Amino acid sequence: MEHARVTFLREEDIDAPVLIEGLPGIGHVGKLVADHLIHELGAEKIGEISSPHFPPQVIVDERGITHLASNEIYRYEKDGKAVLFLVGDVQSNSAEGHYILAEHYLDIAQDLGVGRIYALGGYGVGHLVENPRVFSAVNMEHLRPEVEAAGGSFENARSGGMIVGASGLLLGLGKARGIEGICLMGETSGYIVDPKSAESLLTVLSRLTGIEVDHTSLQQRAGDMEQMIANIQEAEEARGREELSYIG
Amino acid sequence: MEHARVTFLREEDIDAPVLIEGLPGIGHVGKLVADHLIHELGAEKIGEISSPHFPPQVIVDERGITHLASNEIYRYEKDGKAVLFLVGDVQSNSAEGHYILAEHYLDIAQDLGVGRIYALGGYGVGHLVENPRVFSAVNMEHLRPEVEAAGGSFENARSGGMIVGASGLLLGLGKARGIEGICLMGETSGYIVDPKSAESLLTVLSRLTGIEVDHTSLQQRAGDMEQMIANIQEAEEARGREELSYIG
Amino acid sequence: MEHARVTFLREEDIDAPVLIEGLPGIGHVGKLVADHLIHELGAEKIGEISSPHFPPQVIVDERGITHLASNEIYRYEKDGKAVLFLVGDVQSNSAEGHYILAEHYLDIAQDLGVGRIYALGGYGVGHLVENPRVFSAVNMEHLRPEVEAAGGSFENARSGGMIVGASGLLLGLGKARGIEGICLMGETSGYIVDPKSAESLLTVLSRLTGIEVDHTSLQQRAGDMEQMIANIQEAEEARGREELSYIG
Amino acid sequence: MEHARVTFLREEDIDAPVLIEGLPGIGHVGKLVADHLIHELGAEKIGEISSPHFPPQVIVDERGITHLASNEIYRYEKDGKAVLFLVGDVQSNSAEGHYILAEHYLDIAQDLGVGRIYALGGYGVGHLVENPRVFSAVNMEHLRPEVEAAGGSFENARSGGMIVGASGLLLGLGKARGIEGICLMGETSGYIVDPKSAESLLTVLSRLTGIEVDHTSLQQRAGDMEQMIANIQEAEEARGREELSYIG
């Protein structure tokens, strides 16, 4: 069985110099921002990725239709300025799967001409934050001034740290391919889907990419996401996780 | 070592347009219904599936004979109307194994001409239910009216959710092959092998498939299954799980 | 990397019709009996098996020399009557590894002409047992009378159950190759390395195989094994398991 | 995807007869000693190893630059006496990965002419130790007198024991290749990065290798490492580990 199945929904030229990754993670800040951008810009879905390294499940939508757990690629273009988005419901559920999928994402990125990746995420601090900062990391030193000029903070670096999962590996493995990587992490409690953190993150990202969108629906979107997560958790708790049991 | 070993017990034409999956899961509702159907119809075992992705164990039957943990395929035909069953003691014990096995099941289904899969399961709600509903999900939108007409409820979809394991992947991966998938989940507490939930599920399934069987032995069968599970758990608790320990 | 590396220490004809497996397991009853037989008979080590599916560790012997975690094959012959032993410090530490290794063991067994496997283990009941029974399971029905005649009990079968790990898979996968499999499980509390249980097991095994050894050192051997395990556990608790940590 | 990617930073002859391994482990004693030696000797980084068997993460340095989790090879030469170091931030995060990586390390070692490996680690005893001993194990019996003469203790061997991870497998798998392996484990509480334990270890290692370095900065280095670990842990606790969650 192949490690990842990538299906493109259109065949024409879909190159873009920039990829924005917003997969699920801490506080869903990255996912919230990427989903918001896709919606506000009206970005077009151009590809789907399924993989045996994702959790073995389907998502049931509000009409009762199942969808295989997957990641998706969206594309937006305006005035000759194109950008790709990597979003989805899941990340790999194994360490090795993370590496395998990250290499697949980078293959796709390179095929589509991507030279820079923005990896979006949250930076949990365990308490509510009035004015969330946007912590940053880059995979090449020359990127730092640009990020600082856009309002990204590198204060987090003083205490070292790690970036786990797709965001981390896109930067780490991307560097070996010569792809610039900038990770932006919105400071957040980690307890809620945090629209304030997302707004800070979006502000810095807009300065870096030149992509401007309205922020007003961000709070509503965060609330919807929060509700969706709560519904799923409630259902999961009631049902229990499907223990793969056996009988004689 | 191959990912799955499929052994067919007969060679003649064993095609059938419909596959009913009832592997172990929440409350064993799906397994109970599928086992009941096989028994009442006198369906014939036509194949066995073993795999290194199953738990590494044998089942000991009441005569002391061991049987490798496996899944089985049964077939029933009447008046030119044929149906297959996928049942067994186990599901995969890894995420990747779930994907690998689901693709194998779908290969078999396609080889045997299956165009529609019914995936049976339970939908745990954490409390006893007087009149269990049958929650539903489909992998293609056009299937929904048919399921609703047969009494399947889509109320569960309002809160989103996921279907994990074989049932979910048969729908999710089956869609890409053009195989219709209908998942029926009997509402159940999740604490017992629930004959009421199974009866509701069986009623809806019968309307959808046109297969009618007597329900009277369902309660007895649930009790037997309950007892068997209790015996195994008791034995397991006493024995402890075989910890794969070592000594110097 | 290969799944298992099998090294034979001698090249001449080492065929034998019978293999006795005594890998680590519940109460170490099987290991105790097999190790005792090897010692009392003066069986010769003829092969070693290492595998990436074993725990990633070396054992340090009493002289401070390291030995890669491994399984070993011993051989004993008397009056033209030959028997093989499969023993060792470890079992696989993954479900899939159990299947892979069991197939390797069976390959070896078939190459050496083995037609019957005795899988030895413990059957934990959670309390001390004055007169331990020897519970049994077989992979072919015709074996049962022979086992019962030798004093093996099939009372355990009444409550169903499972046999996990190498013992189970040697029977389950061996059947498909036409190799007879008999699993003998000494009733034991599971709390200690139980010489009484081992003695019962040895008595039944001797009747089945015709191999007689002195039992007097069994208690001493159990005590030594108990001490060795206690030492290791004490050392492990003090040292903590090597957490594979990282620093920035 | 390949199991390990080894990148050499220089092409000229980099052979050396001795490899010193100091990967993360109990109390970070081995890592502390190896890092100290590299720094004091001014050893040169000659290679990097990345692998999908490492944790899926990047390390963020104090400037905010990300570095893929990796192991590194350093080399030091003086008066025609050359030695290699294997160090890094991580070890494999799976049992099978440990075997795969250890074989890769040994391939590299053999390619570079290594005939002897020193594997450095800690030996946790759960309480503070005033005068830490250096416990030892060797993979060939003839090595023991040399280690004892240098002050290595084999008292630990009396109670048996195991060596888990890279240190263990380099000795265990190295033996089959004819590479001498000596494991030195500084007695330590296991609660802190222990400069006293490291100093004892360094003393024995210096006698064995003839490599002398100043010890004065060892305490400072241990403190720095301790602080770095504390920072990471604090950050990790606040942020929570990135749970690879999903939403509907």
Side-chain angles (χ1 to χ4, degrees), chain A residues 89 99 124 138 141 144 161 241, chain D residues 55-56 60 63 66 239 244 246:
Chain A
D89 306 310
Y99 278 94
V138 294
E141 193 152 10
R144 192 176 147 146
R241 290 216 128 243
Chain D
V60 182
R63 295 164 303 151
T66 59
R239 298 174 61 187
L244 302 168
Y246 33 70

Side-chain angles (χ1 to χ4, degrees), chain D residues 38-59:
Chain D
I38 286 169
H39 186 266
E40 294 291 319
L41 296 170
E44 178 193 8
K45 182 151 100 171
I46 61 163
E48 288 182 343
I49 302 160
S50 63
S51 168
H53 301 291
F54 287 148
Q57 66 193 31
V58 289
I59 316 290

